[in-house]
Amino acid sequence: MMRTRPLKVALLGCGVVGSEVARIMTTHAADLAARIGAPVELAGVAVRRPGKVREGIDPGLVTTDATALVKRGDIDVVVEVIGGIEPARTLITTAFEHGASVVSANKALLAQDGADLHAAAEANNKDLYYEAAVAGAIPLIRPLRESLAGDKVNRVLGIVNGTTNFILDKMDSTGAGYQEALDEATALGYAEADPTADVEGFDAAAKAAILAGIAFHTRVRLDDVYREGMTEVTAADFASAREMGCTIKLLAICERAADGASVTARVHPAMIPLTHPLASVRGAYNAVFVESDASGQLMFYGPGAGGAPTASAVLGDLVAVCRNRLNGATGPGESSYAALPVSGMGEVVTRYHISLDVADKPGVLAQVATVFAEHGVSIDTVRQQGKDGEASLVVVTHRASDAALGGTVEALRKLDTVRGVASIMRVEGE
Ligand SMILES: NC(=O)c1ccc[n+]([C@@H]2O[C@H](COP(=O)([O-])OP(=O)(O)OC[C@H]3O[C@@H](n4cnc5c(N)ncnc54)[C@H](O)[C@@H]3O)[C@@H](O)[C@H]2O)c1
Ligand SMILES: N[C@@H](CCO)C(=O)O
Ligand code: NA
């Protein structure tokens, strides 16, 4: 039976995502009410620039005082789409204290302070939902938290940043320059307010922390995630990748160690074979593989960024949280009971593509091969190309630990015949 008294929603932030949330709340109002069992009403919209014309939003709802809005006491759900750490963190905890549940898209905040926010939600018997924070529209948080709650997840691997996938795709497929591709991604509403968060891998690292935490029932913070951005990836790297039948993607990889006793989480550019499904993920799309004991391999694919796709995930959470409120219940909270140690990058085992500039003279190849052998790193293939007394040597290794590879590279740099290490890239997905 439909309740006539509406559930009241406060929207914090009315930018790329917030404006789409408001639009869908209005255009889908009747369906949302039928699905929830009560109408949902936009009761206030906190913005920074009140004078801006906002199509479809009653100017009477607009306020610059977000704190007063979350303190009103009659708000059922606060939707936080401001982004950043403060004032979002204080507004969310204040919302819990004043009786509201929260839906957020803020991965930076959740990766940094997720434990405290979950604790605040629990202490006030409220929900904290954040499907939009990871991989935009793709249902990923809920499947990991609920559908796979009876399985044992061992690995989560994928493309979780739309902006960088858009840029890398453009660089690879059209030869576009980095800045030109970034400007386009920003204009399309994919990039963060400060796109450094995207291109330096902070956004993907925040998402990796959230995914690893849920997948392994362990607290994983942003600082636990190894991170390399994609600003150093060059046209020459793409050419090398193509010679190997690969392309380059910025990947987030969360893994349980083989003995199950620890986990790792990392974000870095990597070569992947063109035959791997991740190689064909184009534009701002995201795709994530989840491997677990009983299910085997699952793949989640869809739009990872943009106003409307992200709003889709926010609205899904809004419906779930509203249903919980009508039932006088809350959904699942944080699960960190396993408390596994999070190991550093040195423990990660993978393959490497190393490009060296060397002197083109007898014995150099043997010297280089010896260094790899001394560090226990086995070579899979070597390719050499001479040019005027100098040569470029491309070595692809078998699986080795990052620590062993690091030691190898350090020793290579000390060889007189090695002029420089042009690039080191991990090879995944084989
Ligand atoms: N754009 C995407 O594709 C996408 C996808 C997933 C998640 N997110 C996340 O969603 C959130 C919002 O992203 P966005 O792309 O809409 O950003 P945006 O910059 O377009 O929108 C944020 C809005 O919040 C407003 N704002 C800032 N401080 C405020 C305050 N104190 N009170 C009221 N309003 C304030 C800004 O003026 C801006 O209009 C971020 O956490 C982001 O990481 C974005
Ligand atoms: N800036 C983010 C938004 C989606 O989280 C991205 O490009 O993926
Ligand atoms: Na999602």
PDB file of all heavy atoms in Angstrom, residues 131-132 134-138 140, ligand 3:
ATOM      1  N   GLU A 131      26.874   3.111  -4.177  1.00  0.00           N
ATOM      2  CA  GLU A 131      27.084   2.378  -5.456  1.00  0.00           C
ATOM      3  C   GLU A 131      27.723   3.262  -6.517  1.00  0.00           C
ATOM      4  O   GLU A 131      28.527   2.792  -7.339  1.00  0.00           O
ATOM      5  CB  GLU A 131      25.734   1.843  -5.957  1.00  0.00           C
ATOM      6  CG  GLU A 131      25.813   1.024  -7.221  1.00  0.00           C
ATOM      7  CD  GLU A 131      26.694  -0.202  -7.073  1.00  0.00           C
ATOM      8  OE1 GLU A 131      26.286  -1.175  -6.416  1.00  0.00           O
ATOM      9  OE2 GLU A 131      27.807  -0.178  -7.620  1.00  0.00           O
ATOM     10  N   ALA A 132      27.373   4.558  -6.519  1.00  0.00           N
ATOM     11  CA  ALA A 132      27.899   5.452  -7.560  1.00  0.00           C
ATOM     12  C   ALA A 132      29.389   5.745  -7.382  1.00  0.00           C
ATOM     13  O   ALA A 132      30.036   6.235  -8.311  1.00  0.00           O
ATOM     14  CB  ALA A 132      27.128   6.776  -7.546  1.00  0.00           C
ATOM     15  N   VAL A 134      31.904   3.759  -7.156  1.00  0.00           N
ATOM     16  CA  VAL A 134      32.814   2.882  -7.896  1.00  0.00           C
ATOM     17  C   VAL A 134      32.178   2.457  -9.217  1.00  0.00           C
ATOM     18  O   VAL A 134      31.104   1.853  -9.229  1.00  0.00           O
ATOM     19  CB  VAL A 134      33.189   1.626  -7.072  1.00  0.00           C
ATOM     20  CG1 VAL A 134      34.194   0.771  -7.846  1.00  0.00           C
ATOM     21  CG2 VAL A 134      33.777   2.015  -5.724  1.00  0.00           C
ATOM     22  N   ALA A 135      32.862   2.798 -10.306  1.00  0.00           N
ATOM     23  CA  ALA A 135      32.461   2.347 -11.643  1.00  0.00           C
ATOM     24  C   ALA A 135      31.068   2.843 -12.041  1.00  0.00           C
ATOM     25  O   ALA A 135      30.313   2.127 -12.707  1.00  0.00           O
ATOM     26  CB  ALA A 135      32.550   0.829 -11.750  1.00  0.00           C
ATOM     27  N   GLY A 136      30.757   4.078 -11.663  1.00  0.00           N
ATOM     28  CA  GLY A 136      29.541   4.762 -12.128  1.00  0.00           C
ATOM     29  C   GLY A 136      28.300   3.909 -12.077  1.00  0.00           C
ATOM     30  O   GLY A 136      27.915   3.400 -11.019  1.00  0.00           O
ATOM     31  N   ALA A 137      27.665   3.737 -13.239  1.00  0.00           N
ATOM     32  CA  ALA A 137      26.363   3.061 -13.302  1.00  0.00           C
ATOM     33  C   ALA A 137      26.459   1.561 -13.012  1.00  0.00           C
ATOM     34  O   ALA A 137      25.446   0.923 -12.713  1.00  0.00           O
ATOM     35  CB  ALA A 137      25.761   3.246 -14.692  1.00  0.00           C
ATOM     36  N   ILE A 138      27.657   0.993 -13.124  1.00  0.00           N
ATOM     37  CA  ILE A 138      27.767  -0.481 -13.036  1.00  0.00           C
ATOM     38  C   ILE A 138      27.441  -0.956 -11.622  1.00  0.00           C
ATOM     39  O   ILE A 138      28.063  -0.508 -10.658  1.00  0.00           O
ATOM     40  CB  ILE A 138      29.191  -0.968 -13.394  1.00  0.00           C
ATOM     41  CG1 ILE A 138      29.630  -0.406 -14.737  1.00  0.00           C
ATOM     42  CG2 ILE A 138      29.249  -2.490 -13.385  1.00  0.00           C
ATOM     43  CD1 ILE A 138      31.083  -0.709 -15.079  1.00  0.00           C
ATOM     44  N   LEU A 140      28.147  -2.857  -8.722  1.00  0.00           N
ATOM     45  CA  LEU A 140      29.377  -3.550  -8.336  1.00  0.00           C
ATOM     46  C   LEU A 140      29.476  -3.656  -6.807  1.00  0.00           C
ATOM     47  O   LEU A 140      29.807  -4.709  -6.271  1.00  0.00           O
ATOM     48  CB  LEU A 140      30.580  -2.771  -8.900  1.00  0.00           C
ATOM     49  CG  LEU A 140      31.930  -3.452  -8.871  1.00  0.00           C
ATOM     50  CD1 LEU A 140      31.906  -4.785  -9.587  1.00  0.00           C
ATOM     51  CD2 LEU A 140      32.985  -2.553  -9.521  1.00  0.00           C
TER      52      LEU A 140
HETATM   53 NA    NA B   3      28.741   1.465  -9.408  1.00  0.00          NA
END
